[in-house]
Amino acid sequence: AQKITQTQPGMFVQEKEAVTLDCTYDTSDQSYGLFWYKQPSSGEMIFLIYQGSYDEQNATEGRYSLNFQKARKSANLVISASQLGDSAMYFCAMREGSNTGNQFYFGTGTSLTVIP
Amino acid sequence: GAVVSQHPSWVICKSGTSVKIECRSLDFQATTMFWYRQFPKQSLMLMATSNEGSKATYEQGVEKDKFLINHASLTLSTLTVTSAHPEDSSFYICSAILPGGTSNQPQHFGDGTRLSIL
């Protein structure tokens, strides 16, 4: 089974609107971390936001927020007030607490296009 | 903080040559670094985990003799693509985590290297 599933290959959003990028995960660990990264066309991977499995509050970082639903094993990224510069690939990732090698599992990504 | 530098950004070379890519942690010591390969419009594929002072741990299907990884210091890991061929053309990107990191630590990425083998 896939550890991280992103079911939206591509998404479009109107500028200034909000958009939700879906991510579901699969783990039997109690301790784990969920991460979102942005990858513009230039290629660099930009860390956006983190959610810990024990965090009771949804993480927020500026215009980014994470809708964490533990029982459903989902960690959707919400981008508010979309800007043209938000057009990029977005990857959801997970790090399991039991993984002593510290590897991350990445989803297949969602390509977001912001329309003026 | 937690800046990772990767060099070079672009490489174009002839088939049969070897190419070395460097990954440096600029403001922290990284006992563990990761090397990924990414094909266009696809996700990152973990190639190997690079551990300072020991042999790298390669993922299944990655040729150890083809992709040589050396992590000689706490701030530098190198990936050498030996006898490169056109099928090795890809985007290679490294990352590092802060030492003693727990599951809440993100991986910090370099800017990647676009490798084109003619």
Side-chain angles (χ1 to χ4, degrees), chain A residues 31-35 37 39 41-45 47 50 89 91 95-97 101-104 106-109, chain B residues 32 34 36 38 41-44 46 49 57 59 91 93 97 101-111 114:
Chain A
S31 175
Y32 52 89
L34 298 159
F35 304 81
Y37 285 85
Q39 186 179 41
S41 57
S42 49
E44 71 270 29
M45 291 284 284
F47 166 63
Y50 160 82
M89 283 290 291
F91 292 97
R95 178 179 174 182
E96 294 176 308
N102 299 315
Q103 286 94 347
F104 277 31
F106 284 89
T108 51
Chain B
T32 303
F34 304 92
Y36 295 88
Q38 186 180 31
K41 300 189 184 303
Q42 293 190 23
S43 188
L44 283 73
L46 180 64
T49 302
T57 303
E59 295 299 301
F91 184 67
I93 191 166
I97 55 173
T102 57
S103 61
N104 66 345
Q105 290 291 333
Q107 288 190 9
H108 303 278
F109 286 84
D111 287 346
R114 297 192 187 278

Side-chain angles (χ1 to χ4, degrees), chain A:
Chain A
Q2 292 290 327
K3 288 281 188 179
I4 295 288
T5 302
Q6 293 180 256
T7 59
Q8 305 156 315
M11 289 282 285
F12 292 87
V13 64
Q14 202 76 36
E15 193 178 6
K16 300 181 183 178
E17 298 291 314
V19 63
T20 298
L21 307 183
D22 294 343
C23 173
T24 58
Y25 59 92
D26 181 28
T27 182
S28 57
D29 281 19
Q30 295 300 308
S31 175
Y32 52 89
L34 298 159
F35 304 81
W36 277 91
Y37 285 85
K38 172 184 178 181
Q39 186 179 41
S41 57
S42 49
E44 71 270 29
M45 291 284 284
I46 302 167
F47 166 63
L48 296 178
I49 195 167
Y50 160 82
Q51 179 83 42
S53 58
Y54 295 119
D55 294 341
E56 295 184 352
Q57 302 280 347
N58 285 342
T60 60
E61 287 288 345
R63 294 186 299 111
Y64 304 109
S65 61
L66 204 151
N67 184 359
F68 182 46
Q69 298 187 44
K70 195 170 183 177
R72 299 178 62 181
K73 293 190 175 180
S74 73
N76 298 338
L77 176 70
V78 180
I79 305 174
S80 63
S82 297
Q83 302 172 357
L84 296 178
D86 293 334
S87 294
M89 283 290 291
Y90 288 82
F91 292 97
C92 179
M94 176 175 67
R95 178 179 174 182
E96 294 176 308
S98 64
N99 188 335
T100 56
N102 299 315
Q103 286 94 347
F104 277 31
Y105 298 99
F106 284 89
T108 51
T110 296
S111 177
L112 177 67
T113 302
V114 180
I115 303 167

